[in-house]
């Protein structure tokens, strides 16, 4: 890498010119509006040189141009020294990366650390919705990027299969379902259970209104509504392992799991291990007893268990209800401890929306107070919510944008736009349908992942599927265009030893060289957006080159071979980068 070469020579230059040994050398890519490839920030050296920034920069630049063959020129802009690196150097770097299979990706060895990434983690009382899509795509992509950076990765989820919300769907199905099943209704299992979650809320609100009308205040009515009390009683019966309640719970959860499996397959995400709240909440309750004995938790008069975190700038947090039933925190404590026992991870990331920022602060503090030294290795991958032009969603009111419906809408939109543009002329219906799926879901994934995870975002379906601009289809189309070049060239591609490359080709090579470091940076920062925007910039650069450069009709076989090789390497990087985002790229488009 040119940066390493420059660092060594700059250190020598500073020692010889100014007798400086303790230096801070800052190198960065030269901005596009200046001539040069690598820029050195000179200001830190002024205390050694005792001269102005421009004179200091010129002295260092002259030294490197004399002693380093790779530096063929330089220019100074105030305190910034811009080095121009020889095209021969960049071409030789390109030859090196051409010989690397799966360029940019590091395979984990037996000594590699293990990272856990939790994502999805749905409730079994409703189907997966649009908000879950960002979670699933973000978690899956982060896991793939960390894996590509050379780490062992385990993708995990906690399935929230117990609790009052689950009992609400169960009560509503018992009272209003008339024995309806996915088979009898033709409704996907998770959708059917979600239907009864909405049904519960409808009847619950009616009962509250009736009680308020009879003179009860609203807060009391919410507690006394018969259907709500029935759900509370069912939760107690479930925790007491009542056979009938457990049988109904297993039956309805099975409907949901079958539905989830279909959705996950279409999403293109997978998991190495599932944890179930119905198991881990018991582990959490055991840990609560240990925490009480250690003085980490305390019991109130009503029997509820709490922790006081006021010394840490937080507040009191309930750990166990007065009736002995667990809260989310209880199972999260148990799950975290079980996962460390299972994998002895060196890092665990929880992919959960920023609405739960406070929850995870508390969780990590509790684990630390319980003596879990690895608590410092837990990280909340907090992300912003997804809005549609129509506004936010509420699952209990039935206004959720269902993930299955949304994916189909994206595929249908891809079909409509492709037909309007006439891009699929001459291919079979089967190939066309496969392409609609690739383009529609690729547009969805890319649009959700190109935004910094921390930012709340507005998802616009039509904008996401535009064949121009920073979109998945634009990148997919460029990949397909590159593959068409290879099909048209019906000879073996032989990489020439020497070619006089153009400035445009140099810029593409420079971007290709950055790919491995982009993967590492994205892994450290848990940010697929870095990969998404890198590949978009690469595609923009290549498309500009493609529009004004003869590739298969260049003036010599040597130049044709080089340009085709360069194009194919760009295609390879596009495919790898998009794969890290969970996006497929089509061979034809």
């Amino acid at each position: 890498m040119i940066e390493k070469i420059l660092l060594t020579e700059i250190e020598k230059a500073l020692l010889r010119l100014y007798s400086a040994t303790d230096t801070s050398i800052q190198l960065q890519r030269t901005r596009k509006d200046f001539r040069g490839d690598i820029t050195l920030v000179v200001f830190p050296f002024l205390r050694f040189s005792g001269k102005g920034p421009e004179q200091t920069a010129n002295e260092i630049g002259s030294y490197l141009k004399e002693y380093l063959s790779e530096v063929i020129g330089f220019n100074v802009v105030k305190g910034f020294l811009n080095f121009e690196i020889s095209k021969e150097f960049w071409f030789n770097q390109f030859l090196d990366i051409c010989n690397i299979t799966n360029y940019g990706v590091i395979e984990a060895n037996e000594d590699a650390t293990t990272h856990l990434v939790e994502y999805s983690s749905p409730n079994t009382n409703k189907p997966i919705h649009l908000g879950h899509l960002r979670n699933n795509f973000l978690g899956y992509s982060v896991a793939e990027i960390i894996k590509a950076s050379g780490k062992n990765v385990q993708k995990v989820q906690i399935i929230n299969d117990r609790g009052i919300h689950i009992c609400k769907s169960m009560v509503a199905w018992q009272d209003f379902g008339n024995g309806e099943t996915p088979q009898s209704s033709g409704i996907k299992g998770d959708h059917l259970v979600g239907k009864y979650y909405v049904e519960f809320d409808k009847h619950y609100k009616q009962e509250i209104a009736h009680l308020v009308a009879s003179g009860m205040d609203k807060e009391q009515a919410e507690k006394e509504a018969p259907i709500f009390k029935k759900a509370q009683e069912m939760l107690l019966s479930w925790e007491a392992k009542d056979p009938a309640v457990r049988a109904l719970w297993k039956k309805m959860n099975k409907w949901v799991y079958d539905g989830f499996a279909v959705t996950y397959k279409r999403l293109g995400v997978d998991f190495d291990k599932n944890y179930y709240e119905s198991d881990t909440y018991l582990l959490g309750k055991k840990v609560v007893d240990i925490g009480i004995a250690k003085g980490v938790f305390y019991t109130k008069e009503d029997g509820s268990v709490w922790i006081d975190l006021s010394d840490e700038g937080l507040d009191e947090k309930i750990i166990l209800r007065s009736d002995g039933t667990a809260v989310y925190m209880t199972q999260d404590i148990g799950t975290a401890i079980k996962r460390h026992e299972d994998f002895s991870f060196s890092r665990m990331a929880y992919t959960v929306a920023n609405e739960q920022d406070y929850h995870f602060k508390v969780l990590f503090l509790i684990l630390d107070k319980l003596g879990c030294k690895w608590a410092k290795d837990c990280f909340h991958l907090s992300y912003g919510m997804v809005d549609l032009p129509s506004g936010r969603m509420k699952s209990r009111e039935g206004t959720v944008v269902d993930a299955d419906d949304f994916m189909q809408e994206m595929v249908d939109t891809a079909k409509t736009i492709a037909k309007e543009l006439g891009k699929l002329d001459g291919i079979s219906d089967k190939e066309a349908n496969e392409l609609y799926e690739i383009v529609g879901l690729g547009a969805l994934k890319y649009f959700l992942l190109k935004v910094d995870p921390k930012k709340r975002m507005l998802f616009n379906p039509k904008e996401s599927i535009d064949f121009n601009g920073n979109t998945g289809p634009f990148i997919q189309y460029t990949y397909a265009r590159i593959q068409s070049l290879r099909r048209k060239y019906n000879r073996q591609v032989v990489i020439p030893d020497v070619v006089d490359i153009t400035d445009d080709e140099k810029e593409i090579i420079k971007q290709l060289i950055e790919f491995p470091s982009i993967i590492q940076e994205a892994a450290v920062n848990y940010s697929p957006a870095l990969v998404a925007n890198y590949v978009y910039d690469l595609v923009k650069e290549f498309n500009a080159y493609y529009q004004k450069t003869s590739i298969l009709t260049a003036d010599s076989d040597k130049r044709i071979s080089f340009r085709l090789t360069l194009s194919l390497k760009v295609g390879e990087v596009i495919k790898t980068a998009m794969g890290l985002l969970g996006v497929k790229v089509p061979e034809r488009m």
Side-chain angles (χ1 to χ4, degrees):
M1 281 295 239
I2 189 63
E3 286 85 358
K4 289 182 180 178
I5 296 170
L6 286 172
L7 281 171
T8 301
E9 290 304 317
I10 291 168
E11 285 177 353
K12 291 179 183 176
L14 293 171
L15 181 62
R16 180 170 296 187
L17 293 171
Y18 312 122
S19 301
T21 55
D22 182 17
T23 58
S24 174
I25 299 173
Q26 301 172 45
L27 293 172
Q28 57 197 36
R29 190 170 178 176
T30 303
R31 285 167 47 184
K32 280 191 174 289
D33 42 347
F34 296 110
R35 185 166 183 80
D37 301 300
I38 305 292
T39 296
L40 172 68
V41 182
V42 173
F43 296 109
F45 314 134
L46 304 187
R47 60 194 176 102
F48 302 115
S49 70
K51 301 170 184 175
E54 292 191 2
Q55 185 178 353
T56 303
N58 274 294
E59 288 177 353
I60 296 170
S62 297
Y63 179 94
L64 263 70
K65 186 178 178 184
E66 181 178 353
Y67 289 99
L68 194 60
S69 61
E70 289 83 356
V71 176
I72 59 171
F74 68 90
N75 64 83
V76 177
V77 181
K78 297 182 179 178
F80 298 92
L81 171 56
N82 304 317
F83 295 109
E84 188 176 349
I85 308 302
S86 71
K87 289 180 179 177
E88 290 78 12
F89 172 84
W90 295 116
F91 177 75
N92 289 329
Q93 289 285 293
F94 176 68
L95 290 182
D96 289 343
I97 69 174
C98 277
N99 296 319
I100 300 174
T101 305
N102 208 11
Y103 172 64
V105 174
I106 299 174
E107 297 292 334
N109 58 41
E110 58 185 20
D111 298 322
T113 55
T114 296
H115 290 231
L116 263 63
V117 180
E118 178 195 281
Y119 63 94
S120 194
S121 301
N123 295 333
T124 58
N125 64 320
K126 54 193 174 185
I128 292 170
H129 57 66
L130 176 59
H132 289 124
L133 292 184
R134 190 177 199 189
N135 181 300
N136 274 271
F137 297 149
L138 179 58
Y140 176 86
S141 181
V142 163
E144 291 297 305
I145 289 167
I146 294 172
K147 189 188 298 181
S149 76
K151 310 292 191 301
N152 290 309
V153 175
Q154 294 288 322
K155 302 170 189 168
V156 299
Q157 66 171 330
I158 176 73
I159 298 175
N160 301 297
D161 63 343
R162 61 162 290 282
I164 190 69
H165 51 293
I166 309 299
C167 292
K168 288 177 180 179
S169 294
M170 291 164 63
V171 164
W173 183 84
Q174 268 190 334
D175 288 357
F176 316 114
N178 297 314
E180 184 178 32
T181 67
Q183 291 73 30
S184 69
S185 64
I187 299 174
K188 193 164 167 276
D190 51 334
H191 291 199
L192 182 63
V193 173
K195 168 185 168 182
Y196 285 100
Y197 185 61
V198 174
E199 194 70 23
F200 177 94
D201 190 64
K202 184 177 76 174
H203 285 271
Y204 180 44
K205 285 177 177 174
Q206 289 171 356
E207 290 181 359
I208 291 170
H210 179 73
L211 291 172
V212 169
S214 65
M216 189 180 291
D217 70 75
K218 188 180 179 187
E219 187 176 345
Q220 185 66 20
E222 289 171 349
K223 296 176 183 176
E224 296 297 329
I227 197 169
F228 179 70
K229 294 184 85 169
K230 192 179 284 189
Q232 286 183 310
E233 289 164 8
M234 182 174 278
L235 178 58
L236 289 170
S237 297
W238 183 92
E239 294 210 2
K241 298 186 178 179
D242 177 277
V245 171
R246 287 284 177 131
L248 175 62
W249 169 74
K250 287 179 180 177
K251 178 168 70 174
M252 292 183 71
N253 273 354
K254 175 67 164 57
W255 295 345
V256 174
Y257 298 147
D258 290 345
F260 283 171
V262 172
T263 303
Y264 285 141
K265 184 176 181 181
R266 194 172 194 186
L267 289 175
V269 302
D270 57 8
F271 304 92
D272 298 302
K273 187 173 179 64
N274 293 329
Y275 291 85
Y276 296 87
E277 186 184 349
S278 54
D279 297 326
T280 61
Y281 92 101
L282 293 172
L283 298 174
K285 290 179 85 168
K286 288 178 183 177
V287 175
V288 170
D289 292 336
I290 296 169
I292 292 171
K294 286 184 172 182
V296 175
F297 306 131
Y298 68 94
T299 306
K300 288 191 175 181
E301 289 181 5
D302 64 357
S304 58
V305 179
W306 296 72
I307 185 169
D308 184 358
L309 296 171
S310 54
D311 287 347
E312 283 80 10
L314 303 176
D315 56 11
E316 292 182 304
K317 179 73 177 176
I318 189 169
I319 304 298
L320 214 59
R321 297 187 186 95
S322 58
D323 61 6
T325 56
V327 296
Y328 274 124
M329 188 62 71
T330 321
Q331 64 96 356
D332 277 350
I333 293 167
T335 305
I337 292 171
K338 182 71 171 72
R339 286 172 177 167
H340 195 263
E341 290 173 354
D342 289 347
F343 296 107
S344 190
F345 57 77
S346 44
R347 189 80 161 147
M348 176 164 65
Y350 292 84
T351 311
V352 183
N354 56 18
E355 293 179 322
Q356 297 297 323
D357 285 352
Y358 181 81
H359 175 87
F360 284 99
K361 281 182 185 176
V362 173
L363 174 62
F364 301 158
L365 271 171
I366 289 173
L367 291 170
D368 184 60
K369 287 178 179 291
L370 287 170
C372 302
K373 294 180 180 178
W374 43 266
K376 67 181 184 303
D377 300 318
C378 296
F379 174 75
H380 176 204
L381 177 49
S382 174
Y383 64 90
M385 303 301 286
V386 179
D387 295 317
L388 289 171
S390 57
R392 199 174 170 190
M393 306 167 294
K394 295 180 181 177
S395 56
R396 62 177 157 291
E397 295 175 8
T399 59
V400 159
V401 179
D402 177 76
D404 295 314
D405 294 341
F406 198 76
M407 284 191 286
Q408 188 58 48
E409 181 185 327
M410 291 298 299
V411 172
D412 291 343
T413 303
K415 180 177 182 179
T416 300
I417 292 175
K419 285 187 172 181
E420 287 173 357
L421 296 175
K423 288 188 176 293
L424 301 178
D425 297 339
I427 70 172
S428 70
D429 288 345
K430 181 176 182 295
E431 288 176 313
N433 288 329
E434 288 173 356
L435 193 56
Y436 303 144
E437 188 85 6
I438 290 172
V439 173
L441 296 186
L444 174 61
K445 293 180 184 183
Y446 183 84
F447 203 88
L448 290 175
L449 290 174
K450 73 176 183 178
V451 178
D452 185 309
K454 300 181 190 69
K455 294 180 179 177
R456 187 168 189 143
M457 67 175 295
L458 180 70
F459 183 85
N460 186 319
K462 279 218 162 185
E463 185 182 334
S464 74
I465 215 159
D466 193 340
F467 279 77
N468 296 297
N470 191 0
T471 66
F474 173 66
I475 295 167
Q476 290 170 321
Y477 185 63
T478 301
Y479 176 82
R481 170 182 275 173
I482 290 170
Q483 301 320 300
S484 73
L485 289 173
R486 181 67 189 92
R487 289 192 296 273
K488 290 173 184 174
Y489 189 77
N490 53 12
R491 288 171 284 168
Q492 183 179 358
V493 181
V494 179
I495 308 171
D497 294 332
V498 180
V499 171
D500 181 19
I501 63 174
T502 66
D503 288 339
D504 291 336
E505 288 160 351
K506 182 182 80 168
E507 290 304 315
I508 292 173
I509 291 169
K510 283 163 62 176
Q511 284 195 290
L512 289 173
I513 289 169
E514 285 186 3
F515 186 47
S517 63
I518 291 292
I519 292 177
Q520 296 298 322
E521 186 182 354
V524 169
N525 290 285
Y526 298 92
S527 181
L530 293 173
V531 174
N533 288 292
Y534 163 81
V535 73
Y536 172 61
D537 287 341
L538 175 64
V539 164
K540 269 198 310 183
E541 195 83 49
F542 178 80
N543 273 314
Y545 170 72
Y546 180 89
Q547 295 295 338
K548 62 182 180 182
T549 307
S550 299
I551 295 177
L552 299 185
T553 57
D555 56 10
S556 69
D557 287 343
K558 181 185 285 190
R559 199 171 292 283
I560 290 171
S561 293
F562 164 70
R563 289 179 177 176
L564 182 56
T565 303
L566 178 64
S567 301
L568 292 175
K569 198 65 182 180
V570 169
E572 179 190 319
V573 169
I574 291 171
K575 186 173 185 177
T576 301
M578 294 295 268
L580 295 178
L581 303 177
V583 178
K584 294 179 181 179
V585 285
E587 295 297 309
R588 299 172 188 269
M589 192 167 167

